[in-house]
Amino acid sequence: MSTKKKVCIVGSGNWGSAIAKIVGVNTAKFNDKFEERVTMYVYEEMINGKKLTEIINEQHENVKYLPGHKLPVNIVAVPDIVEAAKDADILIFVIPHQFIRGLAAAMLGKIKPTAVGLSLIKGFDSGADKSIQLISKVVEDHLKIPCNVLMGANLANEVAEEKFCETTIGCKDKALTSVLRDLIQTPNFRVVVVEDCAAVEVCGALKNIVACAAGFVDGLALGDNTKAAVIRLGLMEMIKFVDTFYGGSKLSTFFESCGVADLITTCYGGRNRRVCEQFIKTGKTIKELEDELLNGQKLQGPATADEVHEMLKSKNLTDKFPLFTAVHRICTKELKGTDLIDQIRNHPEHALKI
């Protein structure tokens, strides 16, 4: 009986396709550990009269979400999630966070009970009681499998272009550490594994809120000093948020790629920054700009800001997180973009420290 692990990538957008390039190469390279054939769940779309899955499998390129990059031939696009995932030992989740519950419901009872998950999803799931839940926890609760996380300063196009970068995997299972590293690491995509899973994942979600604020700064042409202040205050709120709701995390985790590095790159190069800059400049809604600028991709920052705001409001903690709160209120047009600095001018971080 083969002990090789089968891999399924659940998602095929910009980031999903970029990670598929890496996973396809590594499963072939370490074919003593992994089955070479990797299934990739693709939400079926018609592109110029042809199914996207057929284009990917024939041309080995995701022409919609990662054009110009060839996928390894062992990446096989599958439009049915159950068919894609049923034999997998490792499930890599890389879809917009809004869709995780629906896909998990479709997969329940249809996957190997011994499978493990690896979530690359940056966002939270919101409950009916205004609480928020980690996406890895949603996977664990709904699919009854352990789920690890991968977050980092990893803009998808740059990863696909094989420019050097780092990433962070949160994994408590030491026996799984080397397997995940072999699956993900390349000479130009370096992996650090830490046990602080909650902090790794929370950083990946919250940095998108801060990136929205950075976009507002750019839209208002407030300059690099203001942007640096917003990034610093955002980092402090990220640390405070983790400390408040996920006690026991290590400060050192915020200095891994999942923390300060991801925050910086997203505030200068990510889609949340870009869309929020145009939100200020054009006066259009977030939804209009998402449809106009993102080619079918989803924006995470405003949705995450909304989820975080609802939870903070339910716990009377909005005044402790003025930057997160301001982003939500600006995205919903409760405040003007020009109100951003007024909202954070008296930030708790500016209190006298002795």
Side-chain angles (χ1 to χ4, degrees), residues 11-72:
S12 58
N14 189 229
W15 185 210
S17 298
I19 211 71
K21 278 192 68 177
I22 290 173
V23 169
V25 168
N26 282 350
T27 53
K29 177 182 177 182
F30 297 107
N31 59 11
D32 58 326
K33 298 180 180 181
F34 303 104
E35 293 284 350
E36 285 193 46
R37 183 180 187 269
V38 175
T39 55
M40 179 169 72
Y41 165 65
V42 176
Y43 177 77
E44 193 68 278
E45 300 178 63
M46 298 303 291
I47 310 292
N48 297 324
K50 192 164 185 177
K51 292 178 179 178
L52 181 56
T53 52
E54 292 179 2
I55 296 172
I56 292 172
N57 289 334
E58 291 170 11
Q59 299 179 21
H60 306 294
E61 180 182 349
N62 189 334
V63 294
K64 180 166 184 181
Y65 296 110
L66 195 67
H69 292 279
K70 287 293 181 183
L71 298 176

Side-chain angles (χ1 to χ4, degrees), residues 220-235:
L220 294 164
L222 293 176
D224 287 337
N225 291 345
T226 302
K227 194 169 180 178
V230 163
I231 291 171
R232 187 189 78 84
L233 293 172
L235 178 61

Side-chain angles (χ1 to χ4, degrees), residues 2 32 41 44 97 141 162 193 210 254 272 279 339 352:
S2 174
D32 58 326
Y41 165 65
E44 193 68 278
H97 77 275
D141 289 350
E162 300 179 32
V193 183
V210 187
F254 294 91
N272 290 283
F279 176 75
D339 295 327
L352 180 63

